[in-house]
Amino acid sequence: MRAEEVKELLERTGALRKGHFILSSGLHSDTYVQCALVLQYPEYATRLGAALAELFGDLEIETVIAPALGGIIVAHEVARRLGVRSLFTERVAGKMELRRGFVLRPGEKVLVVEDVVTTGGSMKEVAAVVEDWGARVVGFGALVDRSQKPLDLQPFRALLRLEAEAWEPSSCSLCREGIPATKPGSRGL
């Protein structure tokens, strides 16, 4: 699946939004990608997951893991395509944890995925959980990469590189203009 096709799917389903948003990272942006709006369609979720899985065909992967909430469907669809299991972490009292009886084996080869990455913070938190269990992160993937600077995640691959600005709240021009911000993501709910 080409990047143009991914962007067209996001636009067609209303997942690519314009306005004034507070991202999970705390940064402000005029662009938000609400992947739930595209992933609500199983056909699209399957296609996107398969395409992301193909980017990692050169790696040996035993498990795919993602942060809840946004990455759960992505991890499931990538894992389905790779024929491996899918896990997710959850934030408990501000800290990412593996719950619900999920376990990782020492040395297990794990791919960390997410729907949208801006700073890579959530992926790094998930990677720390994987490493705490003695498993090994072999790669990082996302449907959409909207980062503004190189991510400290290797290897990192995404279906779509989206050029979208993001600002610290103190330097947000939309705030200065008095445009109300919304926080559409799942963190902080």
Side-chain angles (χ1 to χ4, degrees):
M1 178 174 255
R2 295 183 339 268
E4 302 82 39
E5 293 174 279
V6 174
K7 188 172 184 184
E8 191 276 327
L9 265 183
L10 295 172
E11 289 170 341
R12 183 170 4 131
T13 58
L16 187 55
R17 304 171 67 196
K18 294 292 184 182
H20 183 191
F21 304 101
I22 301 172
L23 307 176
S24 295
S25 63
L27 298 174
H28 287 213
S29 182
D30 62 352
T31 304
Y32 188 79
V33 184
Q34 181 56 273
C35 279
L37 294 175
V38 69
L39 296 173
Q40 71 179 320
Y41 300 102
E43 169 192 346
Y44 298 153
T46 298
R47 285 179 56 202
L48 291 166
L52 187 56
E54 287 175 18
L55 296 181
F56 293 93
D58 61 322
L59 300 179
E60 184 180 336
I61 298 165
E62 297 173 289
T63 298
V64 180
I65 192 169
L69 188 67
I72 293 175
I73 294 172
V74 177
H76 186 268
E77 292 299 331
V78 170
R80 177 200 314 257
R81 180 59 173 236
L82 295 173
V84 300
R85 67 190 182 124
S86 171
L87 307 178
F88 58 89
T89 60
E90 298 174 76
R91 198 174 300 283
V92 178
K95 185 177 185 302
M96 204 64 85
E97 294 182 5
L98 198 58
R99 300 183 62 223
R100 304 180 189 270
F102 292 148
V103 296
L104 291 165
R105 295 181 328 276
E108 189 169 354
K109 297 175 185 84
V110 181
L111 175 66
V112 178
V113 299
E114 177 69 290
D115 56 352
V116 180
V117 62
T118 301
T119 65
S122 293
M123 294 183 109
K124 288 176 186 174
E125 289 180 79
V126 173
V129 171
V130 169
E131 291 163 0
D132 286 348
W133 278 84
R136 187 166 62 97
V137 175
V138 296
F140 298 88
L143 299 181
V144 179
D145 172 12
R146 60 164 293 143
S147 62
Q148 293 181 301
K149 53 187 172 185
L151 299 171
D152 186 22
L153 305 168
Q154 294 300 322
F156 174 76
R157 300 167 188 165
L159 292 179
L160 174 65
R161 171 83 182 105
L162 184 66
E163 297 295 331
E165 292 197 51
W167 313 275
E168 291 293 335
S170 61
S171 58
C172 176
S173 61
L174 300 172
C175 286
R176 284 195 300 275
E177 293 174 30
I179 299 171
T182 58
K183 188 173 183 178
S186 60
R187 193 179 299 180
L189 294 181

